[in-house]
Amino acid sequence: MFSIIMPVWNRADIVKKSIESVLAQTLKDYELLIIDDGSEDNLEEIVHPYLSENIIYHKIPHSGASRARNFGIQHAKRAFIAYLDSDNIWHPDFLSRMYDALNNATVKKEAAYCICNVYKKDQANGTIYLAHTEGGEFSFKRLLLRNYIDLNTLVHSKKCVEHVGLFDERLKRLIDWDFILRIGSKYKPIFVPHILVDYYLGIAENVITLKEKVEMSANIIGEKNEKYKKPVSICHDAITYTWEDLSDEKYDNWVRINNKELDTTDFTAWGFPYMLRIEPTNRCNLACPLCPVGTNELGREPRHMGIQEFKSIIDDMEAYLLFLVLWDWGEPFMNPEFPSMIKYASEKGIKTVTSTNAHFLHNKAYVEEILKSGLSSLIVTVDCLNEEHYTAYRKRGNLGKVISGLENVLNLKKQLGSKTLINMRMVIMKYNERELGDMKRLARKLKVDKFTVKTVNPSCGANSMDKDIIPNNPKYRRYIYKKGTYERVRLNAICRRVWQMSNIFSNGAVVPCCYDYKAEQKVGNIREEPFTKIWNSPAYRELRKKIYYQKDAIPKCKECTINFKLAGDNWFREAHDYNTSINTRLINKIKRYAKLVAAKGRA
């Protein structure tokens, strides 16, 4: 079960107590690796009587605690690793308590730690006294400020080392803190609320804290963790959402789920999604040619999600969710319970965004409910000002109704003092690219909060319409094409979305993304079991594995946007703020231009 790593340097006079505390463990399934870090005293002679099949002595050239621990890890044969310094002591039930915590966890865990007594030496009379205890519930946010988890209290799987790496051999101080930060950025350790370790601080004469300066190590650790000092923010559809004061649990989950490294051993995601896309309904009043609802290809029965179903998702994921995208295949405003959904999520501190085709914005009572619900952003798709061009894409639509509906929302927002950001959206295509100037003028005249220009996705499943629908101006195209053709330039990209986000359809089906509109890759249903159970279930992990290794064998994955070279940094070409000052808009315009220039350079 446990490989115990004990680095020792010139401590023949005190090491016996540490070894004997291992021998006294009630759980006997362990090996103790004593790593002699080039000692010059009689250490080998002292430890020799203790050596056995399970207590092994290694001597290496003196190179520091990090190197000695790494040597031990590399020679460890058991599934879990524990650490005991030669001047500290475990209580007899330390290993058994750690084993129980790991073995009894409802979800597979890779690390655990407990509380320790911290003893110090009175410099006046030389007596050893209990100064305080150290430990507490895990919080990566708190751990960033200082280390409160001693290495002698920690056990972790060998898998942890595969993903976080060995001890940093550049460090002379703060070695434990750096290592535990790296573990905490990927895994949430189990806290065992028992005092099981006696830690003696600065009592041995050759302790690192008395001999090495801390500044260099602190700088290295600071540089490694600089990314965690920034405010938590999400840029979604050209709008940035920021969270200044998250709970420890939400912040810790944000750190873990945003980890760039993927677990390709058992394909478990490090955390839970901080963002979900939920489909309030799959019904729609339009018949857009690039939408499976409009082309009758959806393959699912028309259905509104019920408010209780929605609440069950929020209640299950409340501890992790920051943001909800509330639309998928369908017009959300057709669901009569939609305002109640937004309100329920908002009251839980979750930011929300939805999108509408603007044909249901004349129902004053309904729109007032939406604007009072706490909705963060409302995208209103207008696209163009020419009726013929509008209906070529938004079939069955009525442009006049759309414009008057947008005006109605803006008037009601002003009357109510609503903080919902109104984002007027143009999907730019061959039909409407010449109307961009007119659209900007209308947005400015109406005083919308934001006007965004989104590139068209010229595909509906395997059906591509690049030749018929993409703009003539390459600047407004989503993809780069081979010269003189409509053949997109392919990339060999890894799908990270399946590790970070998920879609829940109106019938409760959980799928990896919106491209799977028929739910062919369904991994579960929230009407049958909670999303938190589905997220790292065998079915979801198997799907991640399949997408990782066989993406091109899945038609919708093969045609996913990540497999093609984008013409810009993202799907949006322009984003204008019309509720900010002229100077701010000018600065933002310069920034956008700089990004476009940089994107062209990369292309």
Side-chain angles (χ1 to χ4, degrees):
M1 172 58 69
F2 291 99
S3 290
I4 304 161
I5 312 298
M6 182 184 289
V8 192
W9 179 54
N10 291 339
R11 287 186 177 171
D13 56 330
I14 62 173
V15 72
K16 286 184 178 182
K17 287 185 178 180
S18 297
I19 296 173
E20 288 169 0
S21 79
V22 174
L23 293 171
Q25 292 299 301
T26 56
L27 188 150
K28 301 298 183 183
D29 186 3
Y30 65 79
E31 65 171 358
L32 170 60
L33 304 180
I34 301 171
I35 315 300
D36 183 343
D37 185 26
S39 296
E40 297 169 342
D41 59 6
N42 62 333
L43 177 66
E44 185 172 1
E45 177 185 339
I46 294 298
V47 303
H48 187 268
Y50 295 102
L51 302 184
S52 67
E53 184 179 345
N54 293 331
I55 301 181
I56 304 148
Y57 171 84
H58 295 277
K59 185 161 186 174
I60 62 173
H62 180 56
S63 50
S66 291
R67 178 71 191 95
R69 287 177 183 139
N70 289 341
F71 180 92
I73 291 171
Q74 290 160 346
H75 287 77
K77 297 177 181 177
R78 306 297 176 93
F80 283 86
I81 294 172
Y83 304 90
L84 183 59
D85 291 343
S86 54
D87 53 349
N88 297 322
I89 293 172
W90 281 344
H91 294 192
D93 54 347
F94 173 77
L95 288 180
S96 64
R97 293 266 193 174
M98 294 296 107
Y99 171 79
D100 289 344
L102 293 164
N103 193 50
N104 296 331
T106 54
V107 179
K108 184 182 178 184
K109 293 291 184 179
E110 304 295 335
Y113 67 98
C114 64
I115 305 172
C116 66
N117 287 322
V118 178
Y119 290 92
K120 293 184 179 180
K121 187 175 184 178
D122 190 314
Q123 298 303 316
N125 57 31
T127 59
I128 308 299
Y129 67 97
L130 177 61
H132 62 275
T133 60
E134 189 76 278
E137 289 288 347
F138 184 79
S139 163
F140 187 81
K141 195 176 186 181
R142 178 184 168 196
L143 191 63
L144 281 170
L145 300 176
R146 75 170 188 87
N147 187 22
Y148 63 94
I149 302 172
D150 187 75
L151 189 66
N152 292 255
T153 71
L154 176 75
V155 299
H156 64 78
S157 68
K158 292 184 75 173
K159 177 184 174 182
C160 277
V161 178
E162 294 172 12
H163 290 290
V164 309
L166 297 167
F167 287 88
D168 191 335
E169 295 181 14
R170 296 174 298 168
L171 302 178
K172 301 299 182 183
R173 294 280 303 275
L174 310 177
I175 299 166
D176 302 10
W177 188 27
D178 171 70
F179 187 67
I180 294 167
L181 275 169
R182 283 186 278 134
I183 288 178
S185 71
K186 289 184 169 71
Y187 305 99
K188 182 178 180 178
I190 300 170
F191 172 55
V192 179
H194 299 285
I195 300 171
L196 302 172
V197 179
D198 291 338
Y199 175 77
Y200 293 89
L201 179 61
I203 293 174
E205 292 185 1
N206 65 342
V207 292
I208 293 173
T209 51
L210 299 179
K211 293 181 173 292
E212 299 289 348
K213 292 183 178 180
V214 75
E215 287 79 8
M216 186 185 80
S217 295
N219 289 338
I220 292 173
I221 294 172
E223 289 172 6
K224 287 183 180 183
N225 295 283
E226 183 67 33
K227 57 190 173 185
Y228 302 126
K229 298 176 183 177
K230 300 175 182 178
V232 172
S233 64
I234 297 170
C235 185
H236 182 270
D237 278 14
I239 295 173
T240 299
Y241 302 85
T242 303
W243 291 259
E244 296 291 346
D245 188 25
L246 289 177
S247 69
D248 287 6
E249 191 165 20
K250 282 194 175 185
Y251 179 82
D252 292 1
N253 183 71
W254 161 266
V255 168
R256 286 193 290 273
I257 201 68
N258 274 297
N259 207 296
K260 291 183 179 180
E261 186 184 0
L262 305 178
D263 179 356
T264 55
T265 303
D266 63 11
F267 292 86
T268 298
W270 304 118
F272 290 99
Y274 58 81
M275 176 163 63
L276 285 177
R277 187 165 190 154
I278 300 177
E279 181 184 78
T281 184
N282 62 356
R283 300 175 186 268
C284 190
N285 56 306
L286 302 184
C288 303
L290 284 175
C291 173
V293 178
T295 56
N296 292 316
E297 296 177 48
L298 193 63
R300 292 185 277 125
E301 289 296 319
R303 185 182 191 275
H304 295 325
M305 177 178 282
I307 184 64
Q308 294 306 320
E309 294 167 338
F310 180 83
K311 285 182 176 181
S312 73
I313 302 170
I314 303 306
D315 292 345
D316 178 43
M317 286 288 291
E318 181 182 352
Y320 312 107
L321 280 176
L322 302 179
F323 193 69
L324 283 178
V325 180
L326 294 174
W327 84 89
D328 213 328
W329 300 109
E331 168 52 52
F333 279 51
M334 292 181 73
N335 187 332
E337 295 184 300
F338 188 46
S340 298
M341 293 178 176
I342 300 171
K343 184 178 180 181
Y344 191 76
S346 299
E347 288 174 347
K348 303 285 187 179
I350 302 166
K351 295 184 191 293
T352 53
V353 60
T354 193
S355 178
T356 179
N357 61 40
H359 287 77
F360 298 91
L361 301 181
H362 298 84
N363 183 332
K364 183 178 179 181
Y366 187 92
V367 174
E368 280 190 0
E369 276 192 85
I370 292 285
L371 292 174
K372 290 177 179 179
S373 68
L375 179 67
S376 304
S377 298
L378 172 62
I379 300 168
V380 182
T381 54
V382 179
D383 295 334
C384 63
L385 300 177
N386 179 293
E387 183 74 39
E388 181 182 352
H389 294 166
Y390 179 82
T391 53
Y393 183 67
R394 305 287 180 185
K395 291 186 182 297
R396 298 182 192 164
N398 182 311
L399 181 59
K401 193 172 184 179
V402 167
I403 300 299
S404 61
L406 174 57
E407 291 174 332
N408 186 50
V409 167
L410 292 168
N411 289 332
L412 284 172
K413 176 187 171 177
K414 187 175 181 181
Q415 292 172 24
L416 298 169
S418 171
K419 294 183 179 179
T420 300
L421 187 149
I422 308 300
N423 178 5
M424 178 176 156
R425 167 67 49 76
M426 177 184 188
V427 179
I428 195 162
M429 299 167 277
K430 182 180 291 186
Y431 306 112
N432 62 6
E433 62 184 307
R434 292 183 180 179
E435 297 184 56
L436 178 57
D438 292 336
M439 291 288 288
K440 288 180 185 178
R441 283 186 281 275
L442 175 64
R444 197 177 296 114
K445 176 184 175 182
L446 295 177
K447 297 181 180 179
V448 298
D449 300 302
K450 196 97 171 179
F451 172 67
T452 52
V453 181
K454 185 178 182 180
T455 57
V456 67
N457 179 9
S459 299
C460 181
N463 181 27
S464 297
M465 301 175 63
D466 301 68
K467 181 179 179 180
D468 300 320
I469 205 165
I470 65 170
N472 293 311
N473 187 341
K475 174 183 175 181
Y476 295 112
R477 295 175 179 177
R478 178 166 295 190
Y479 305 115
I480 292 176
Y481 295 85
K482 291 182 179 180
K483 191 173 181 180
T485 74
Y486 290 98
E487 183 183 349
R488 304 172 196 168
V489 176
R490 277 199 169 270
L491 297 172
N492 184 22
I494 294 173
C495 175
R496 294 184 174 276
R497 191 187 190 284
V498 74
W499 303 81
Q500 296 180 321
M501 190 180 166
S502 199
N503 285 47
I504 303 175
F505 287 152
S506 56
N507 63 4
V510 177
V511 297
C513 75
C514 60
Y515 286 149
D516 186 26
Y517 51 80
K518 290 185 179 180
E520 294 168 332
Q521 307 293 333
K522 185 179 76 171
V523 288
N525 192 300
I526 58 94
R527 297 161 70 188
E528 298 167 3
E529 61 179 334
F531 179 85
T532 50
K533 298 291 185 184
I534 296 170
W535 177 241
N536 273 322
S537 65
Y540 220 134
R541 288 188 285 113
E542 186 60 32
L543 177 62
R544 291 189 191 109
K545 183 178 181 179
K546 184 179 179 182
I547 291 174
Y548 187 79
Y549 286 114
Q550 300 173 299
K551 178 164 53 73
D552 288 349
I554 306 169
K556 289 185 176 65
C557 291
K558 186 177 180 179
E559 299 307 315
C560 174
T561 189
I562 68 165
N563 297 311
F564 303 104
K565 192 170 184 179
L566 294 178
D569 283 345
N570 52 51
W571 296 352
F572 293 85
R573 289 299 172 270
E574 295 187 25
H576 304 275
D577 291 306
Y578 290 127
N579 62 355
T580 55
S581 67
I582 294 176
N583 287 340
T584 301
R585 293 204 299 269
L586 180 61
I587 292 169
N588 289 338
K589 188 173 183 179
I590 293 169
K591 287 180 179 177
R592 288 194 298 271
Y593 179 74
K595 281 187 177 180
L596 285 173
V597 171
K600 285 183 178 179
R602 287 192 295 274

